Amino acid sequence: MGLPPHPDRVRTSRLDFWLARSAIACVAGLQLLVVNDLSLGPRWLAPALEIALLVPLSTITAWNQGRARRATTDAHWAEIHRFHRLIRRLAMVLTALVTVANTAALAALVRALLNGKAAGGPTLLVDALNIWGTNVIIFALWFWTTDRGGAALRGRPGAGDPDFLFPQMTMAPGDARTRFVPGFVDYLFLAFTNATAFSPTDTLPLTARAKLLMMAEALISLLTVALVAARAVNILA
């Protein structure tokens, strides 16, 4: 029997997806603005690869969202969910790429500091801030992509168990906020607070995967702030 489109069957918020895609473009721009030579290969290589993956990924996402809004049968939904899984895998590959590029940049900057070959203090501060901000965006993408089976399926019945406990999810039963489905801005806020506090704040990790991701982000943030930025301030002194 055919099934009408329903917002609980698949999450099709265009704004949420485009915010995530814009975040990738922002990361590519930040990588081009790194002052010191910290990239793997030519400076343009990682941003070019990211944009080359981003364009088809955005096109497929928009196309599949349009199909979801027009879906009326179980067969339609099965095909849509199959493409959602493919899109999620591609998004994770793209996120892994930017993670490797940013981690390599941080490692190169730390190595330059330890070898005494780094440039002046002001450029170190700029690059440290760049790497820290990129780290926040990257882990917002990881949280957004992994929680409850990914963004597209997060709001439907049968989605995976939550990886994070948001405050809105603790409201009394019957409250409209208990049906809360986090969006990209919620994960960006989570990544920002974790990078500044080095620990959970209002949102708690529930799964081993979420805890490992938050540990990795906090470690990179701590290394950037405590070692690189502090060393740059000493150079300025």
Side-chain angles (χ1 to χ4, degrees):
M1 183 174 65
L3 293 174
H6 191 281
D8 285 340
R9 297 218 56 192
V10 65
R11 185 170 176 81
T12 59
S13 172
R14 283 177 291 182
L15 176 61
D16 211 36
F17 280 95
W18 285 112
L19 283 173
R21 304 301 176 242
S22 298
I24 293 290
C26 180
V27 166
L30 287 172
Q31 289 170 337
L32 291 173
L33 293 176
V34 172
V35 179
N36 296 280
D37 184 15
L38 306 175
S39 58
L40 289 171
R43 182 186 297 266
W44 53 265
L45 180 60
L49 289 175
E50 290 156 10
I51 297 301
L53 286 173
L54 178 62
V55 171
L57 180 60
S58 301
T59 303
I60 296 171
T61 299
W63 173 72
N64 209 41
Q65 284 179 316
R67 296 174 69 223
R69 286 187 287 273
R70 297 189 300 270
T72 57
T73 67
D74 286 332
H76 291 162
W77 285 111
E79 186 70 9
I80 288 165
H81 290 317
R82 186 173 72 84
F83 272 96
H84 276 312
R85 288 189 289 271
L86 173 62
I87 290 168
R88 182 170 179 252
R89 293 190 189 103
L90 291 175
M92 294 180 75
V93 169
L94 180 53
T95 307
L97 174 62
V98 297
T99 303
V100 170
N102 196 56
T103 304
L106 175 59
L109 188 52
V110 172
R111 192 183 313 114
L113 279 169
L114 296 178
N115 294 335
K117 298 178 181 179
T123 63
L124 286 179
L125 284 173
V126 171
D127 285 345
L129 181 61
N130 188 323
I131 291 170
W132 184 89
T134 303
N135 186 53
V136 170
I137 297 172
I138 287 171
F139 279 91
L141 288 165
W142 277 120
F143 300 154
W144 181 78
T145 304
T146 57
D147 188 22
R148 280 184 268 181
L153 306 181
R154 197 152 30 237
R156 72 179 181 91
D161 293 332
D163 290 276
F164 299 98
L165 180 66
F166 288 86
Q168 295 91 330
M169 297 163 59
T170 64
M171 302 296 176
D175 192 311
R177 287 169 290 187
T178 59
R179 298 190 294 275
F180 168 75
V181 178
F184 182 75
V185 173
D186 299 294
Y187 294 105
L188 181 62
F189 178 77
L190 170 61
F192 179 82
T193 55
N194 187 51
T196 51
F198 311 120
S199 63
T201 52
D202 67 328
T203 302
L204 300 177
L206 300 178
T207 63
R209 173 175 59 188
K211 292 174 183 178
L212 289 172
L213 284 172
M214 292 190 73
M215 286 171 59
E217 184 195 10
L219 178 61
I220 295 172
S221 180
L222 180 62
L223 183 61
T224 306
V225 173
L227 179 59
V228 180
R231 176 60 178 160
V233 170
N234 288 337
I235 291 174
L236 286 172

